[in-house]
Amino acid sequence: MNSIISGDATVDGVRPVVGGRVLSVGDDGAVLVDGRRAAAGDGLARALARAVAGPEIGEDASERAITVDQTNVSVIVDERLMVKIVGRWSAADRSALLLDRLAAAGTEGVERLVGSVGWRHPDLGTSTLAIVTDYLPGADDGWTWAVADVVAVLDGGPEPEWPALLGARVARIHDVLGATATSSGAAAPAARLTRADDALARALASADPADGATGARLHNRRASLARDIRSLEGTAPGLEFPIHGDLHLGQVLAAPDGHGRREYTVIDFDGDPQLSADDRERSDAAARDVAHLLVSLDLVAAVAQRRLGRADDRAFAWADRARGAFLEAYRGGLTRPELFDEALVRGFCAEQLAAELHYADRFLPVWRYAPDAAITYRHSPTDDHPETPWTPPPSAPTSS
């Protein structure tokens, strides 16, 4: 039987049945469907969409998987709704809460929450099972559309306006989510420094300085990266609140608006997938979102050079201009400027570059070239290790 409670969009029990599928939670916290990871076509996403949207979603509505690898499982239902089914217990609680707050404030340019489905588990408590949002037909993420725009600029095309638009949009998101901001506390500067130091140490430990390439370039720039990271030590505690947490251009969808222009939508408020569940839930400084977005502009510049098949300094010149436009619009858009401590940006950017490279080393080696390019461009080297100039690889780009 279908265990969704009518009018409540909640399932109950240890092994509830939804859409003819048995749900369970593994010992490691994984949410399982008939003992396996959820998948498009098993009927679960359709049943969850019907629980939220009602009979306008037919019993035979189509299900289609999206092609981006994610922590959760996202399924397009009836070409109208996006159903995100959690991969692990409590993985979407944060996202559901933040999207609800943004919707209540009438925030434009973020994914529209249609509803969510909860799960009341007798042993684990209550958590979000799925989030249902509007599906945006024809949308691409920034690893596609932003890269294409940069390639066009390098071919003599117009300067894109979206860096400023995104600056204003992120400012609005922060104004809404920062309405209940609190002091980060006296221990915050030391904690930030420790986290960033650890990120750099992990990146250095997994990079061979004798390889003449990525490892050598990183180790030759460790002093510059460490210097930026040390700037966090002298910063003020400042304010913190639930930020986006994983803000990069891959989290910005561009879809045609029907009038020859694009609509940009910020998605995925689940937090940084590289952090533990507890750490993802913690509040943080607005500057971290800003730094992550700035770093992603550099990564897009690297991918654009790969698309061109050559190193081209003009790509990073574009990134410099885009960073400036984003920051100017962000500062001007904040109605609560006290939320943003710009002194944190330099250290957070260095930390994020190190984290990107370590992520690539562990999970996605074909992505190493992008943070390698950004580190090489942004940080001055020593001559401790022989190194070759950065050049883009011939393999297809893969985003983080």
Side-chain angles (χ1 to χ4, degrees), residues 2-12 17-19 47-48 50-51 117:
N2 189 318
S3 296
I4 292 178
I5 302 174
S6 178
D8 191 19
T10 303
V11 302
D12 283 276
V17 178
V18 181
L48 295 170
R50 283 174 57 81
V117 179

Side-chain angles (χ1 to χ4, degrees), residues 289-376:
D289 271 352
V290 171
H292 285 197
L293 197 288
L294 294 178
V295 166
S296 77
L297 292 169
D298 284 351
L299 300 180
V300 161
V303 181
Q305 291 173 82
R306 187 269 153 202
R307 296 273 176 91
L308 289 171
R310 66 179 187 276
D312 190 328
D313 289 341
R314 294 177 302 154
F316 281 115
W318 168 85
D320 288 339
R321 298 193 299 274
R323 279 171 162 240
F326 175 88
L327 281 170
E328 182 178 3
Y330 177 80
R331 296 188 202 101
L334 272 179
T335 62
R336 297 189 63 201
E338 68 273 15
L339 293 175
F340 179 50
D341 183 356
E342 195 156 352
L344 299 173
V345 171
R346 184 160 59 106
F348 283 170
C349 281
E351 176 189 345
Q352 180 62 12
L353 285 171
E356 283 279 351
L357 190 56
H358 182 59
Y359 172 87
D361 284 334
R362 291 180 65 198
F363 303 115
L364 206 61
V366 294
W367 179 243
R368 294 178 81 221
Y369 77 92
D372 177 17
I375 291 168
T376 300

